[in-house]
Amino acid sequence: MSPLEAVAPPSSTRPHLRTAQGGALMAMAAMSSVQLGLALSVPLFAQLGAVGTAGLRLAWAGLLMLVLIRPRPRDFAGRDLLACALLGLVTAGMVLLFMLSAARIPLGTASALEFLGPLAVSLLRPGGGRRRWAASAAVGVVLLTEPWHGGIDPAGLGFALGAAACWAGYILLTQRVGDRVTGLKGLAVSLPVAGVIAALVAAPSELGHATWPLVLVMLGLAALSTVLPFSLEFLALRRLTAGAFGTLMSLEPAIALVMGILVLGQIPGPAPAVGVILVVIAGAGATRTGGRETAEATETVEAEAEAEAETDAEAVPERDVREPALCA
């Protein structure tokens, strides 16, 4: 048993966390942790650069997950291990490409373009109601970020769209790995892969400026803004559909806006205020309709079938013993 699993309370004491509402709470906690980590990372960009900061953070996060979870090869089937590696690849791409886009175009514009990834996941999933929440979230994100206030650099636009594609792949692969791999072991493989890729990208130009104090600071930021939120997202996607999770992620710009008001004193205009209302409504709707009832019902049926099979298997030796005794 890993240290993270050992400290978790029994599932019977937290039944509410198994529902769609529990998944939504985990997702919101993850987004808050990410935004706090980004705020604390900004002063480091001048010393490490955006790519160097992201690369060192992912490298530390991967090492932390290996130490805390301790995955073993026998815990994975071949295809599951490949899915974990692919998840690590899109995770590295999502983080690095977004940092590169934010260095070339306004952050609001980059955020709005990156959200096209989870929005596409929501729109391509079946269900008209889910599309309604996705449309509401899309309008809210545009009003929040006000992309028309900034210019578009072609390279920045391409990086942002690449980050959007990686985010869509991250949502789908995280749900697949979370469904097939026990606990957080899938994340304990994907994050080290992401860390290696990010470190290789950042090492030639950025990591040479790192000092030991910066390395230790990045260790703390890795735990706060990568290990904690990615673990929460991993667990949330076991309780929410991929479409509902993608829609719920639209709350992240709203959380960033609220932190700007409380920490930085940035008061939003009328358009961002309306955007907050729209994304909150979309998030509430996604939470209410996004539970994975079908998957949970399937798991219940499979568990009952396995219990019946175990009961039958235990009963067979008893009949074998009694029959010779009757013949005697």
Side-chain angles (χ1 to χ4, degrees):
M1 180 180 295
S2 70
L4 287 182
E5 294 169 336
V7 298
S11 59
S12 60
T13 64
R14 45 187 172 87
H16 60 286
L17 293 181
R18 292 182 171 273
T19 64
Q21 286 73 22
L25 289 175
M26 293 176 183
M28 292 183 68
M31 289 183 283
S32 300
S33 180
V34 166
Q35 289 302 320
L36 179 58
L38 286 175
L40 296 174
S41 298
V42 169
L44 302 178
F45 287 178
Q47 301 176 64
L48 289 175
V51 174
T53 302
L56 191 54
R57 187 184 73 186
L58 282 176
W60 266 127
L63 183 59
L64 285 174
M65 291 302 294
L66 281 176
V67 172
L68 292 173
I69 304 300
R70 299 191 297 271
R72 294 167 294 185
R74 66 171 180 268
D75 296 330
F76 303 87
R79 291 184 178 179
D80 297 338
L81 198 59
L82 177 60
C84 292
L86 290 175
L87 177 58
L89 176 63
V90 298
T91 299
M94 178 178 66
V95 174
L96 292 171
L97 289 173
F98 181 77
M99 290 294 189
L100 289 170
S101 69
R104 289 166 172 80
I105 61 177
L107 185 61
T109 304
S111 299
L113 291 171
E114 189 191 30
F115 181 70
L116 293 175
L119 180 60
V121 172
S122 298
L123 290 174
L124 293 176
R125 290 283 173 168
R130 198 169 298 140
R131 293 179 182 179
R132 181 176 68 252
W133 302 127
S136 175
V139 175
V141 166
V142 171
L143 291 175
L144 272 168
T145 58
E146 297 183 289
W148 53 84
H149 284 172
I152 295 294
D153 176 86
L157 174 62
F159 287 135
L161 293 177
C166 289
W167 197 358
Y170 168 82
I171 291 173
L172 297 174
L173 284 169
T174 296
Q175 190 168 76
R176 172 182 170 81
V177 171
D179 286 345
R180 297 181 62 87
V181 180
T182 304
L184 297 176
K185 293 176 182 177
L187 192 61
V189 173
S190 66
L191 268 184
V193 171
V196 170
I197 294 172
L200 290 176
V201 171
S205 58
E206 305 287 356
L207 294 184
H209 303 293
T211 62
W212 281 112
L214 280 177
V215 169
L216 294 177
V217 168
M218 290 308 302
L219 171 60
L221 287 176
L224 174 66
S225 62
T226 305
V227 173
L228 177 60
F230 277 44
S231 299
L232 289 172
E233 289 177 2
F234 206 82
L235 296 173
L237 273 165
R238 288 178 173 166
R239 294 154 175 84
L240 297 169
T241 63
F245 181 83
T247 305
L248 191 59
M249 285 288 103
S250 66
L251 285 169
E252 191 157 355
I255 293 174
L257 188 64
V258 171
M259 286 191 173
I261 296 173
L262 297 177
V263 178
L264 304 175
Q266 298 174 343
I267 308 300
V274 173
V276 170
I277 296 174
L278 287 176
V279 294
V280 168
I281 292 174
T287 301
R288 183 166 54 85
T289 61
R292 303 185 65 192
E293 295 87 358
T294 302
E296 291 173 358
T298 301
E299 291 174 358
T300 301
V301 171
E302 291 176 352
E304 292 175 353
E306 290 176 0
E308 291 177 0
E310 290 176 359
T311 301
D312 294 341
E314 292 174 356
V316 169
E318 293 179 0
R319 288 194 298 268
D320 291 343
V321 172
R322 289 171 184 166
E323 286 174 0
L326 290 174
C327 291

